[in-house]
Amino acid sequence: MAIRFSVLKCACLRSLQLLGVYMASSMSVAAEPPLPATEPHSYANPQQIRVREVALDLAVDFERKRLSGTVDLAIEHVDPKARELLLDTRALDIEQVQTRAEKGDWKAAEFKLAAPDRVLGSRLGIAVPGDAQSVRVRYSTVPDASGLQWLTPEQTAGKRQPFLFTQSQAIHARSWIPLQDTPLVRAPYRARIKTPKGLRAVMSAEMHDEPDADGRWRFEMPQPIPSYLIALAVGDLAFKSTGKRTGVYAEPSMLDRAAHEFAETEKTIELAEKTYGPYRWGRYDLLVLPPSFPYGGMENPRLTFVTPSVITGDRKLVSLIAHELAHSWSGNLVTNATWSDFWLNEGFTTYLTYRLTEAQYGQAFGDMERVLGYHDLLDSMERADVADRSLIRETPAADPDEVFSSIPYERGELFLVWLEQRFGREAFDAFLRGWFDDHAFKSATTAQFLAYLQDKLLARQPGKVSTVQLDAWLKVPVLPDSAVLPTSSALTEVEQQRERWLSGKLGTAQLPAKNWAVQQWQLFLDSMPERVTLDQLRQLDARFKLTGTSNQILGSSWLRLRLAAGDKSAWPAAETYLLGAGRMRLITPLYRALAKTPEGLAFAKQVYAKAAPGYHPIAREAVERILRGEQAGV
Ligand code: BES
Ligand code: ZN
């Protein structure tokens, strides 16, 4: 299990070279406020002892639902007097801890695992001598680790092999690796993963096509990344190339459809590079997960994880890929330093996504996506606690998962659109490009963004934007009046047709919906006025066969509408849907619609009892919050 030192050194050298690049480019940056020393969602003490490299050596045991092995952490004594390394863990079985001085042997180290906190997990304190250079922790995960989902063969497309995937964002890496689980700390990582025969491991790193003689898959991520971007999946996976830097990993039965759906990814990368600078991560591959993947996508570097629900055959939902790709600049290259700065990741990415979508698929298409995003924002604003309606909270949220909503995404995007309009697209594009270049491979706070904005735009074009206006965007719970709201003629037309249809002026057969893009259907269904009658819904279904549609996005919108209209005959279809899906954005609206009446809530609880074993731990938490009567969330 030992990890060869030469490899460690090589990664170290490479990260030093990279460091040289950042130092040179950061010279031109005016003084920005410093990063905080610690942040509220981590026990780590990087201001004293900082993890510089992570090396994993893990075996995957599907029978016991455990990962077990070691992590080696190369450490830097930032404060030479510090003698305790603090790590984040959640429900890990820690078997042994050792430290090692340069060229020395591994020696047993004392450690203390604190009592667990519900949200943060357990602090692991390790005694480290002043000359220790590495720390090794031997450990196993528990079967219900919050950042892992273990799937039975029945839960996969192929039905023959089990599947495992990780989801580390926001604070779940600590449930499968003991480390400094904070976006303040970045480190390169390496891994060796032993899988059962016939199963392939993939990670957010450089990969080899074959395992070594011992059946271990090897990985290396040479660039320093935050812990929430460490990702692993194991299953019956095949690969198909789709371009010079792009390809798709999926279960064999999904591979061709996935490769067809995502065939235009290389083009999206080229568009992004034109405006935001070179793609710095080498390859960009996609991994298609089973339906229980709780998110639409996750921007794990070099290997975006994606829900199968966007594979519709018509490439109409690939803006999700543009979104995850855009994180290669906003998020992965420049990372929110704390979870209170989440909008720096998602608001920027949402803005970039709309820009990329409109460049690739035209203004009209981009406009539809923006309008749908704005509808999501209004819906989230209505349900969120007042404290969560602004871009930054006065005090950090207890649990980042609990306050997840469209607000940092869409309000963040509207803020950037507003700035773009003030300074002009050309100047704003150059500004964003500079932000990414000057902070590449660094973590950043909102305060640093504001200082950079002041330096690069406000000071050069005084009078265009005031501090009061910036505060209104960032800190006030209501959306500023000056927000530039999106419009889409394609969607306005749908709204007008829907009006005429609702009032009986247009027959169901006359709705020109056969040619509607999924976005038009989404608008038609998702913002349907409450006065729609059950009979009108039945007519829609008879004509357009919405119940049982193979498009999972529309399936969710349609069922939500029927449930919200009190159509009890939709319950069996809703049950089938909720047992087969797992993406939070698709299942939570159905649970929420059911939970509106006592009878519906009782039914939702029954369905959930059956569906829960197939849901991801994070999705289970989200549904349980709804069943307890909490409003906010996805
Ligand atoms: N990074 C997020 C997913 C995420 C956020 C996971 C916070 C855990 C905590 C990802 O980039 C994302 O935003 N996914 C969206 C996609 C969409 C906006 C196109 C999703 O899953 O809905
Ligand atoms: Zn995102």
Side-chain angles (χ1 to χ4, degrees), residues 441-458:
F441 299 105
K442 287 187 189 159
S443 303
T445 57
T446 303
Q448 290 178 331
F449 170 71
L450 289 175
Y452 194 83
L453 181 70
Q454 172 64 33
D455 186 38
K456 302 289 175 188
L457 285 178
L458 308 198

Side-chain angles (χ1 to χ4, degrees), residues 167-172 228-229 293-299 307 317 319-321 323-324 327 339 342 345-346 349-350 353 400-401 404 409-410 583-585 618 634:
Q167 169 56 44
S168 297
Q169 196 181 13
I171 53 171
H172 298 284
Y228 77 88
L229 294 175
F293 184 57
Y295 291 99
M298 177 64 215
E299 66 272 26
T307 170
L317 296 171
S319 65
L320 183 119
I321 305 303
H323 176 102
E324 304 312 335
H327 275 304
W339 295 113
F342 186 56
N345 275 14
E346 298 300 344
T349 295
T350 305
T353 306
D401 283 346
F404 182 80
Y409 290 74
E410 303 295 338
R583 180 179 172 190
M584 289 190 282
R585 228 187 130 85
I618 301 172
V634 261

